[in-house]
Amino acid sequence: MAGEEVKVLSSWFSMFGLRVLIALKHKGVEYAYKEEDLQNKSQLLLQSNPIHQKIPVLIHNGKPVCESLIIVQYIDETWTSSEKPSILPKDPYDRAIARFWADYIDKKFYDAGSKILWSAVTEEREQAKKDFVEVLETLDGAFRSVSKGGMYFGGNDIGFVDVALASFLCHFKCYEAFGEFKIWESSECPCLSKWAENVLEHSSVKEALAIADPEKLVEAFQLYKKNLDAGSKLEP
Amino acid sequence: MAGEEVKVLSSWFSMFGLRVLIALKHKGVEYAYKEEDLQNKSQLLLQSNPIHQKIPVLIHNGKPVCESLIIVQYIDETWTSSEKPSILPKDPYDRAIARFWADYIDKKFYDAGSKILWSAVTEEREQAKKDFVEVLETLDGAFRSVSKGGMYFGGNDIGFVDVALASFLCHFKCYEAFGEFKIWESSECPCLSKWAENVLEHSSVKEALAIADPEKLVEAFQLYKKNLDAGSKLEP
């Protein structure tokens, strides 16, 4: 679509923001990226998402869309010409299954991961590591049925669940550093670990995640944690 | 679609389950309703939703779909013939806006309402009442733009946000009884209070909510609260 303006307000370390970038790259949509300082949010962000005041926001021809999975569906439903790959499957049942697992990632995976990063209580962090491994193993089981024999959750190409989960892979080094464990060695996830290798080599994912170097994320999160301890506020 | 089997596993007091019934009624889909005892869940429920083990579940020709908003979208995408009303709007941006508000209801409205019902701490309950009123007033503001001058969030007929929110109206007497306040007198919601009147008169909503008599809900919740205090478990 010529003459259109697509802008993303996000932060390089946000797994939710990275989902939006993966989806846009996958659809071949050009966009302007605006890095937000979450300690000092822009007027544009506050005006575009007055309810939650959070990143990511996609602004398409001046109209804002908020909440990462809603944005990804908007992208899928907006750029629909035949040469663009679909993100959600066509079949209603497959769509429901994809939405179920994306929702599961938001509810379970994000929570467990965040507690590994931010919990100040050892027992709570250890419990979060167990929960995290359990979630990974559940996703490993899901992969077998959802992927239908393909390399990705979406089958032969990435789909909604891949977009929802791949952005978290940048943070695996953080989970390992803060949780003092090795994720793949601590879990039984033969399918998911192979998926992680494959999806990180997928061109849309690789290009989108280029801004979120895992080593730099560890440094940044360590710095943020220090700031947090000193009383400032973070929203990853 | 002839010869098909549609079953709903739910509980009469679940606002999430009631959403599914509204959507099915609205599409004119015949279904078998199975009331679940949440203290003693059926094998069918546990097998159909092994991940969350929660109601509601829609089983369509033997295939289970879980999570109420995902079920409502599945219903919308499955029964699509021209004489069936659409639940989500056609336009991608309008769809994103409808999804945003449905998600807001799940994240904010449900939480505040639950805290009014179940909080044992007075300060927490008072804060929940304030949050609840704030959420209502936010939805009142949303109604003005989303409804585009119609009687419902969906415009001239009920849509995704109406389905997501209407099922909570049965519980308003519970919120009032447990919170010891009058919802509409405590809030500035001229649009939303009018919407509530209208939507409760809509035939799909009226038929679906017939199983959830507000007075009986108050009695049931009071009984559950006693049981809760005595150590049993409830998942509304």
Side-chain angles (χ1 to χ4, degrees):
Chain A
M1 286 184 254
E4 65 185 356
E5 194 190 33
V6 179
K7 196 180 278 183
V8 180
L9 315 184
S10 188
S11 286
W12 68 281
F13 55 73
S14 164
M15 47 282 266
F16 300 114
L18 293 169
R19 286 174 172 173
V20 176
L21 304 190
I22 296 172
L24 289 170
K25 291 279 182 195
H26 198 47
K27 289 280 190 178
V29 178
E30 299 281 327
Y31 58 88
Y33 176 84
K34 186 181 174 308
E35 179 73 21
E36 281 285 331
D37 173 1
L38 298 187
Q39 311 291 329
N40 185 21
K41 293 173 184 175
S42 72
Q43 274 307 308
L44 184 60
L45 173 58
L46 300 177
Q47 282 162 11
S48 304
N49 188 359
I51 302 297
H52 299 305
Q53 308 195 346
K54 280 185 177 173
I55 54 151
V57 179
L58 178 84
I59 306 178
H60 183 203
N61 295 335
K63 292 157 86 179
V65 185
C66 306
E67 298 292 306
S68 66
L69 292 179
I70 294 173
I71 298 171
V72 172
Q73 289 179 87
Y74 174 79
I75 292 168
D76 199 32
E77 294 172 354
T78 298
W79 287 278
T80 52
S81 70
S82 56
E83 76 272 19
K84 309 276 188 192
S86 285
I87 294 175
L88 273 159
K90 292 264 177 285
D91 175 73
Y93 190 74
D94 292 339
R95 292 165 73 86
I97 296 299
R99 287 188 177 120
F100 176 86
W101 288 111
D103 175 73
Y104 175 82
I105 291 161
D106 271 8
K107 284 181 179 153
K108 302 288 183 180
F109 194 96
Y110 175 69
D111 268 12
S114 297
K115 278 185 190 151
I116 295 175
L117 296 179
W118 308 119
S119 176
V121 183
T122 308
E123 291 74 22
E124 204 176 278
R125 204 181 60 215
E126 291 306 308
Q127 184 58 49
K129 282 160 63 179
K130 280 185 197 156
D131 294 345
F132 186 84
V133 165
E134 202 179 303
V135 168
L136 279 182
E137 292 177 349
T138 300
L139 287 169
D140 192 80
F143 184 85
R144 289 161 221 245
S145 60
V146 177
S147 64
K148 298 180 178 172
M151 280 170 77
Y152 309 106
F153 281 95
N156 295 323
D157 198 356
I158 60 168
F160 197 54
V161 185
D162 300 285
V163 172
L165 188 57
S167 62
F168 282 84
L169 291 170
C170 307
H171 296 76
F172 271 35
K173 271 197 196 303
C174 292
Y175 300 136
E176 291 187 334
F178 284 65
E180 298 172 351
F181 74 137
K182 290 283 178 197
I183 290 173
W184 301 123
E185 289 170 21
S186 310
S187 59
E188 289 281 344
C189 296
C191 298
L192 205 67
S193 56
K194 184 71 192 148
W195 165 83
E197 279 178 34
N198 291 336
V199 85
L200 287 172
E201 288 302 315
H202 188 289
S203 59
S204 309
V205 176
K206 204 168 182 171
E207 288 171 30
L209 302 192
I211 60 167
D213 179 71
E215 301 288 353
K216 285 189 184 152
L217 274 169
V218 174
E219 287 169 33
F221 275 51
Q222 278 166 342
L223 184 64
Y224 278 121
K225 193 155 189 170
K226 265 191 204 161
N227 291 343
L228 255 193
D229 292 342
S232 80
K233 203 181 158 206
L234 171 77
E235 294 172 50
Chain B
M1 287 184 254
E4 65 185 357
E5 195 190 32
V6 179
K7 195 179 279 182
V8 179
L9 314 184
S10 188
S11 287
W12 68 279
F13 55 74
S14 165
M15 47 281 266
F16 300 114
L18 292 168
R19 286 173 173 174
V20 176
L21 304 190
I22 297 172
L24 289 170
K25 292 278 183 196
H26 198 48
K27 288 281 190 176
V29 177
E30 299 282 327
Y31 59 88
Y33 176 84
K34 188 182 172 308
E35 179 73 21
E36 282 285 332
D37 174 2
L38 299 186
Q39 311 290 328
N40 184 22
K41 293 173 185 174
S42 72
Q43 274 307 307
L44 184 61
L45 173 58
L46 300 178
Q47 283 162 12
S48 304
N49 189 359
I51 301 299
H52 299 306
Q53 307 195 346
K54 280 184 177 174
I55 54 151
V57 179
L58 177 85
I59 307 178
H60 183 202
N61 295 334
K63 292 157 86 179
V65 184
C66 306
E67 297 291 308
S68 66
L69 292 180
I70 295 173
I71 298 172
V72 172
Q73 289 178 85
Y74 174 78
I75 291 168
D76 198 33
E77 294 172 354
T78 298
W79 287 278
T80 51
S81 69
S82 56
E83 77 271 20
K84 310 275 188 194
S86 284
I87 294 174
L88 274 159
K90 291 264 175 287
D91 175 73
Y93 190 75
D94 292 338
R95 292 165 73 85
I97 295 300
R99 287 188 177 118
F100 176 85
W101 288 111
D103 175 75
Y104 175 80
I105 291 161
D106 271 8
K107 284 182 179 151
K108 302 287 183 182
F109 194 97
Y110 175 68
D111 268 13
S114 297
K115 278 184 190 150
I116 294 174
L117 296 181
W118 308 120
S119 177
V121 183
T122 308
E123 291 74 22
E124 206 175 276
R125 203 181 60 215
E126 291 308 308
Q127 184 57 50
K129 281 160 62 179
K130 280 185 196 155
D131 295 345
F132 186 84
V133 165
E134 202 179 304
V135 168
L136 279 182
E137 291 177 349
T138 301
L139 287 168
D140 192 79
F143 184 86
R144 290 160 221 246
S145 60
V146 177
S147 64
K148 296 178 178 172
M151 280 170 79
Y152 309 106
F153 281 95
N156 296 322
D157 198 356
I158 59 167
F160 197 54
V161 185
D162 300 284
V163 173
L165 188 59
S167 62
F168 282 84
L169 292 170
C170 307
H171 296 76
F172 271 35
K173 271 199 195 301
C174 291
Y175 300 136
E176 290 187 333
F178 284 65
E180 298 171 350
F181 74 137
K182 291 283 176 199
I183 290 173
W184 300 124
E185 289 170 21
S186 310
S187 58
E188 288 283 343
C189 297
C191 298
L192 205 66
S193 56
K194 184 72 193 146
W195 165 83
E197 279 177 34
N198 291 336
V199 84
L200 286 172
E201 288 302 315
H202 188 288
S203 59
S204 309
V205 176
K206 204 169 184 173
E207 287 171 31
L209 302 192
I211 61 167
D213 178 71
E215 301 289 353
K216 285 189 184 152
L217 274 169
V218 174
E219 287 169 33
F221 275 51
Q222 278 165 340
L223 184 64
Y224 278 120
K225 193 154 189 172
K226 266 190 204 162
N227 290 343
L228 256 194
D229 293 342
S232 79
K233 204 180 157 207
L234 172 77
E235 294 173 48

